[in-house]
């Protein structure tokens, strides 16, 4: 997820933290030397402020990447940003390290806030960087969990879907460079560092348990399954080993003897440091089961209701209350159900409830891939075809094309049980690693043919890959902005992209795929209901699963995985629908105010160029763009 762009709207951005528009610069005349001198002084002062802020922005990204060195590997940055020899390090997640990381972000935030007010693009940079430092500092009311580069404060450091025990090895396997002997040695050094990394996770987990912050029992059980799956293969069949084994023959000037020795070192490190430490964690998780909570929602944790309100504000990017969001979800479910009912009837499906009809369609062999290796290869082939067919058409509605490639891959077997149906991960900044569109092929009934177009438009183009690649390529932005994760913005854009594909005619001759699109939107509306149901209305896990199946037409395996995902990521599921609604409202406002002057290409520039931002700042950006364009003379 990341990209290239020219900032067309720098001059009409508002000053962040103020409701007043940016003043136009005063014209300097030749006969007003006092004005000229004053202006020169102002420019010098502004340059000094910018230099100070640039240093603080660089310190911010260094703070994140030195603490999360494997994330630095994903991004492909150099040692100036991530620290000397970061490619051999895994990170420290101990309570002390976490406390220091958050304090450094809070200190940086204070320094940024004390700098003089800015204007134009500089103002947006300052506002977003303040937000990001606050985001990575986590809530001052909660010392639990850990800081995740994407999620911000993630409440449970050990769970079934994210965290160091999952993310660190995945990043090594997927992103670590293995082009030289030095690369291989740092790879092995990381394998040898697993014991220390896991020990730091153990100490953080213990500190949280001491505060009575303990995951639900089913989450501990699922984490155990994931950890056991991780250490199940023989060492030589483990991805950490096979990746090295595959790449070593490509490394020049390595003798057969040295290659054999390096593989032996890797085997020993995996057996002793990786498997040994993970087996210890499995034992500790079994012990934790006796303390784990039966309740599914975050409300059951100490001050859990306050945590959820903070999560709603941060990840939902809204001032709406959980109660209001729950009702919005119910309203959206009804609206989308009505649309689905009409479309299904037009295709001859007119019996039972909407969900029951969709589930019947989902069981129909005509809409299923073959449950075999060949069938799964056909899924991958279709996803690639949808990308290849639609991407050239996007020039009709976008002025720029992101410069990074994208690749479709299936989730490894060890991740299938808890991973979502589809997911996207970012390319490296230098382009050496493409963006990756991951597809989960654990259950062939969870990837019916009529849903695959929409999933591809969401994860690839014009969804996550298009937006994130565009963001990453804007090298005039502070690096932390180029890699920033704003949940409602990014997920809202991806859901908006599904509708954009509909508007561009991608479903005109494929009504059943349009059923899939509406089902996907229904799924996001159901998320509003289920997330608030779990964490605000105190639903049980089974109540949430039943609602997803009976209202959202979600197959059992996906319903379970999704609900358990919401249990460990409170508030994250809200961003999709809330973000989409905001983007569509901004587009409608622009169309109404600009009339014939409205350009969809320009609107997409206003949303994407300048990087990901909080939704309130996006509203300011678009409104300023509308104002500027409405004052243009008609050509």
């Amino acid at each position: 997820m990341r990209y290239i762009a020219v900032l067309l709207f720098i001059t009409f951005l508002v000053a962040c933290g103020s409701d007043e528009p940016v003043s136009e610069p005063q014209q300097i005349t030749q006969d007003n030397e006092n004005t000229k001198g004053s202006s020169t002084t102002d420019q010098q002062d502004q340059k000094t402020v910018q230099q100070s802020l640039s240093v603080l922005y660089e310190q911010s990204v260094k703070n994140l990447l030195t603490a999360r060195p494997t994330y630095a590997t994903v991004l492909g940055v150099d040692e100036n940003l991530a620290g000397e020899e970061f490619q051999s390090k895994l990170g420290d997640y101990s309570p002390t390290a976490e406390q220091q990381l958050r304090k450094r972000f809070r200190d940086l935030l204070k320094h940024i806030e004390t700098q003089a007010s800015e204007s134009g693009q500089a103002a947006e940079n300052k506002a977003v960087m303040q937000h990001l430092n606050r985001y990575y500092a986590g809530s001052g009311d909660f010392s639990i969990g850990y800081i995740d580069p994407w999620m911000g404060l993630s409440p449970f450091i050990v769970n079934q879907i994210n965290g160091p025990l999952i993310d660190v090895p995945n990043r090594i396997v997927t992103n670590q460079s293995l082009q030289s002997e030095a690369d291989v040695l740092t790879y092995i050094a990381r394998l040898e560092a697993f014991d220390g990394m896991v020990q730091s996770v153990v100490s953080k987990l213990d500190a949280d348990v001491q505060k009575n912050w303990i995951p639900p029992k089913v989450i501990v059980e699922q984490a155990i399954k994931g950890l056991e799956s991780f250490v199940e293969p023989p060492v030589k069949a483990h991805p950490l080993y096979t990746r090295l084994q595959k790449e070593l023959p490509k490394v020049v000037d390595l003798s057969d003897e040295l290659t054999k020795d390096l593989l032996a070192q890797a085997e020993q490190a995996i057996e002793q440091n990786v498997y040994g430490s993970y087996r210890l964690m499995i034992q500790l998780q079994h012990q934790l089961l006796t303390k784990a909570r039966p309740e599914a929602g975050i409300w059951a944790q100490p001050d859990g209701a306050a945590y959820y309100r903070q999560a709603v504000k941060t990840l939902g990017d809204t001032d709406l209350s959980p109660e209001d969001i729950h009702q919005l979800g119910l309203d959206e479910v009804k609206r989308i159900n009505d649309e689905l009912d009409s479309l299904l009837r037009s295709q001859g499906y007119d019996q039972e409830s909407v969900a029951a009809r969709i589930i019947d369609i989902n069981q129909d062999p005509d809409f299923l891939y073959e449950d075999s290796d060949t069938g799964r290869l056909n899924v991958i082939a279709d996803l690639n075809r949808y990308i290849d067919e639609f991407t050239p058409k996007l020039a009709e509605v976008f002025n720029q094309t992101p410069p990074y490639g994208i690749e479709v891959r299936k989730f490894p077997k060890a991740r299938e049980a808890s991973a979502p149906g589809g997911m996207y991960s970012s390319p490296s900044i230098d382009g050496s690693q493409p963006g990756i569109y991951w597809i989960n092929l654990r259950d062939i009934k969870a990837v019916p043919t009529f849903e695959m177009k929409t999933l591809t438009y969401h994860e690839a183009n014009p969804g996550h890959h298009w937006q994130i690649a565009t963001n990453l390529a804007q090298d005039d932005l502070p690096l932390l902005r180029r890699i920033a994760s704003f949940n409602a913005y990014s997920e809202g854009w991806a859901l908006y992209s599904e509708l954009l594909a509909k508007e561009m005619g991608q479903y005109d001759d494929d009504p059943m795929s349009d059923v899939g699109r509406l089902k996907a939107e229904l799924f996001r509306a159901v998320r509003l209901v289920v997330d608030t149901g779990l964490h605000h209305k105190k639903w049980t896990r089974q109540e949430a699963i039943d609602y997803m199946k009976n209202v959202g037409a979600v197959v059992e395996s996906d319903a379970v995985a999704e609900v358990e995902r919401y249990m460990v990521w409170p508030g994250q599921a809200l961003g999709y629908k809330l973000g989409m609604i905001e983007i569509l409202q901004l587009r409608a406002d622009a169309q109404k105010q600009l009339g014939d002057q409205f350009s969809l290409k320009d609107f997409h520039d206003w949303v994407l160029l300048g990087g990901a931002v909080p939704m309130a700042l996006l509203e300011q950006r678009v409104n300023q763009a509308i104002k500027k364009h409405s004052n243009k003379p008609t050509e």
Side-chain angles (χ1 to χ4, degrees):
M1 327 169 175
R2 341 275 186 193
Y3 357 7
I4 238 165
V6 177
L7 301 177
L8 302 179
F9 47 83
I10 288 176
T11 59
F12 54 79
L13 292 171
V14 297
C16 298
S18 171
D19 293 328
E20 297 297 320
V22 175
S23 300
E24 292 294 326
Q26 298 296 313
Q27 183 176 356
I28 301 174
T29 59
Q30 290 294 325
D31 59 353
N32 191 336
E33 293 301 323
N34 291 333
T35 302
K36 180 187 293 186
S38 175
S39 175
T40 301
T41 301
D42 290 345
Q43 289 175 357
Q44 291 172 343
D45 290 344
Q46 190 176 52
K47 183 177 180 181
T48 300
V49 169
Q50 281 303 303
Q51 290 172 339
S52 298
L53 284 170
S54 294
V55 171
L56 292 170
Y57 298 164
E58 185 170 317
Q59 289 175 344
S60 298
V61 75
K62 282 183 178 180
N63 191 36
L64 179 66
L65 297 183
T66 54
R68 303 292 181 256
T70 57
Y71 185 54
T73 296
V74 172
L75 297 173
V77 300
D78 59 30
E79 291 184 350
N80 291 330
L81 283 173
E84 187 177 358
E85 298 180 354
F86 76 91
Q87 295 284 23
S88 63
K89 299 175 182 176
L90 300 182
D92 182 353
Y93 297 86
S94 67
T96 299
E98 277 296 299
Q99 182 182 26
Q100 292 173 346
L101 172 65
R102 300 179 197 192
K103 184 180 183 301
R104 287 194 296 270
F105 274 121
R106 292 190 183 102
D107 290 344
L108 284 165
L109 174 61
K110 291 177 182 177
H111 287 306
I112 294 171
E113 289 175 338
T114 61
Q115 297 298 312
S117 298
E118 297 297 306
S119 62
Q121 181 63 43
E124 185 173 89
N125 282 340
K126 183 179 176 183
V128 176
M129 290 300 293
Q130 286 175 255
H131 184 102
L132 288 170
N133 277 275
R134 192 178 300 114
Y135 181 71
Y136 289 123
S139 171
D141 296 329
F142 295 94
S143 61
I144 46 79
Y146 77 105
I147 299 300
D148 180 275
W150 173 67
M151 276 284 293
L153 178 55
S154 191
F156 304 115
I157 193 165
V158 180
N159 62 72
Q160 83 287 9
I161 197 168
N162 79 321
L165 302 183
I166 294 173
D167 296 338
V168 166
N170 286 341
R171 290 170 185 157
I172 294 172
V173 169
T174 305
N175 300 104
Q176 183 116 8
S177 175
L178 286 171
Q179 298 181 356
S180 67
E181 182 180 349
D183 288 344
V184 175
L185 292 175
T186 58
Y187 186 95
I188 293 173
R190 272 188 162 162
L191 297 178
E192 294 171 341
F194 262 82
D195 183 62
M197 186 271 287
V198 175
Q199 286 291 344
S200 74
V201 173
V202 169
S203 65
K204 186 66 180 73
L205 175 64
D206 182 62
D208 290 352
V209 171
Q210 294 301 316
K211 295 181 176 70
N212 200 28
W213 190 274
I214 304 171
K217 183 177 181 179
V218 68
I219 296 304
V220 179
E221 291 172 340
Q222 292 296 349
I224 291 171
K225 289 180 182 179
L227 293 168
E228 289 177 339
S229 176
F230 183 84
V231 299
E232 181 180 8
V235 168
K236 289 187 176 182
H238 196 279
L240 286 168
Y241 183 90
T242 58
R243 165 88 199 288
L244 182 63
Q245 185 181 47
K246 177 183 176 182
E247 298 298 329
L248 272 177
K250 304 175 187 177
V251 180
V252 297
D253 299 329
L254 283 186
S255 65
D256 291 344
E257 183 178 355
L258 180 55
T259 298
K260 183 178 179 180
D261 179 61
L262 291 170
L263 284 172
Q265 290 181 47
E267 181 182 3
Q268 182 180 28
I270 294 170
E271 178 60 45
Q272 294 181 359
N273 299 84
V274 181
Y275 275 27
S277 60
Y278 273 62
R279 286 170 180 145
L280 170 64
M281 180 60 78
I282 291 169
Q283 294 176 12
L284 295 175
Q285 290 291 295
H286 276 290
Q287 295 173 16
L288 189 59
L289 276 175
T290 61
K291 299 180 180 180
R293 303 180 186 283
E295 300 90 353
I298 204 73
W299 61 267
Q301 303 293 334
D303 295 323
Y307 184 93
Y308 187 55
R309 288 193 298 272
Q310 183 66 35
V312 168
K313 188 172 183 63
T314 302
L315 297 175
D317 202 352
T318 180
D319 291 326
L320 292 174
S321 70
E323 191 68 33
D324 290 339
I325 295 170
H326 191 82
Q327 186 59 52
L328 174 63
L330 293 173
D331 294 342
E332 282 293 284
V333 165
K334 183 180 184 308
R335 177 187 65 80
I336 299 165
N337 257 309
D338 289 345
E339 289 189 43
L340 270 168
D341 181 52
S342 177
L343 181 56
L344 287 169
R345 287 181 183 278
S346 73
Q347 299 303 306
Y349 299 98
D350 56 6
Q351 301 296 316
E352 303 180 293
S353 68
V354 167
R357 278 176 271 170
I358 292 177
I359 289 173
D360 287 344
I361 294 168
N362 211 123
Q363 306 290 335
D364 188 335
D366 288 346
F367 297 107
L368 294 177
Y369 292 93
E370 182 181 289
D371 194 358
S372 65
D373 289 343
T374 299
R376 285 166 171 79
L377 287 174
N378 288 338
V379 177
I380 301 292
D382 278 352
L383 303 186
N384 279 307
R385 176 167 58 85
Y386 295 144
I387 293 171
D388 293 342
E389 288 176 350
F390 192 33
T391 300
K393 299 179 183 179
L394 294 175
E396 299 172 13
V397 295
F398 291 96
N399 288 315
Q400 287 82 24
T401 300
Y404 296 97
I406 183 168
E407 184 176 307
V408 180
R409 297 184 191 175
K410 66 177 181 178
F411 278 112
K413 285 286 184 184
R415 289 207 63 200
E416 285 183 348
S418 59
M423 191 178 78
Y424 175 76
S425 58
S426 167
S428 58
I429 292 175
D430 63 5
S432 59
Q433 293 283 345
I436 301 172
Y437 165 19
W438 298 94
I439 185 71
N440 196 330
L441 300 179
R442 63 173 176 250
D443 179 0
I444 209 69
K445 291 182 179 179
V447 287
T449 58
F450 68 96
E451 292 184 20
M452 292 300 97
K453 270 189 180 180
T454 295
L455 183 62
T456 300
Y457 301 149
H458 181 101
E459 301 293 347
N461 296 334
H464 281 317
H465 178 68
W466 195 272
Q467 178 260 313
I468 291 171
T470 298
N471 205 61
L472 190 65
Q474 296 180 68
D475 56 11
D476 53 348
L477 295 178
L479 180 57
L480 200 61
R481 286 202 61 189
R482 294 166 64 192
I483 63 176
S485 169
F486 290 99
N487 186 58
Y489 175 98
S490 60
E491 297 297 354
W493 173 264
L495 190 51
Y496 167 81
S497 296
E498 299 175 17
L499 179 60
L500 181 65
K502 160 76 172 177
E503 295 170 337
M504 293 179 67
Q506 291 303 108
Y507 301 100
D508 286 355
D509 58 352
D510 191 359
M512 289 310 297
S513 282
D514 200 22
V515 169
R517 178 190 68 82
L518 283 169
K519 182 193 172 189
E521 188 178 3
L522 174 66
F523 178 48
R524 278 41 176 265
V526 163
R527 280 176 162 175
L528 298 180
V529 180
V530 171
D531 196 87
T532 52
L534 283 168
H535 301 299
H536 172 62
K537 290 186 170 294
K538 303 183 180 181
W539 285 11
T540 66
R541 168 181 171 273
Q542 192 58 52
E543 284 177 316
I545 291 171
D546 289 345
Y547 187 88
M548 295 205 78
K549 292 193 303 182
N550 299 333
V551 178
V554 180
V555 298
E556 175 81 19
S557 62
D558 274 359
V560 171
E562 285 292 322
V563 168
E564 291 172 353
R565 164 185 166 177
Y566 310 153
M567 290 166 64
V568 298
W569 288 353
Q572 191 274 333
L574 307 177
Y576 300 76
K577 206 72 180 69
L578 295 177
M580 178 199 194
I581 289 171
E582 179 69 18
I583 292 171
L584 286 173
Q585 184 61 57
L586 291 173
R587 190 178 75 172
D589 291 345
Q591 289 172 316
K592 180 179 179 180
Q593 295 182 53
L594 294 177
D596 292 341
Q597 290 182 299
F598 175 80
S599 162
L600 189 56
K601 286 186 175 183
D602 288 344
F603 175 76
H604 290 155
D605 278 351
W606 304 340
V607 174
L608 296 179
L609 301 188
V613 291
M615 298 308 288
L617 195 53
L618 180 64
E619 181 180 2
Q620 290 184 5
R621 179 196 290 175
V622 172
N623 286 340
Q624 285 294 104
I626 293 170
K627 181 178 179 181
K628 181 180 177 69
H629 279 63
S630 63
N631 292 330
K632 279 186 175 182
T634 304
E635 296 181 2

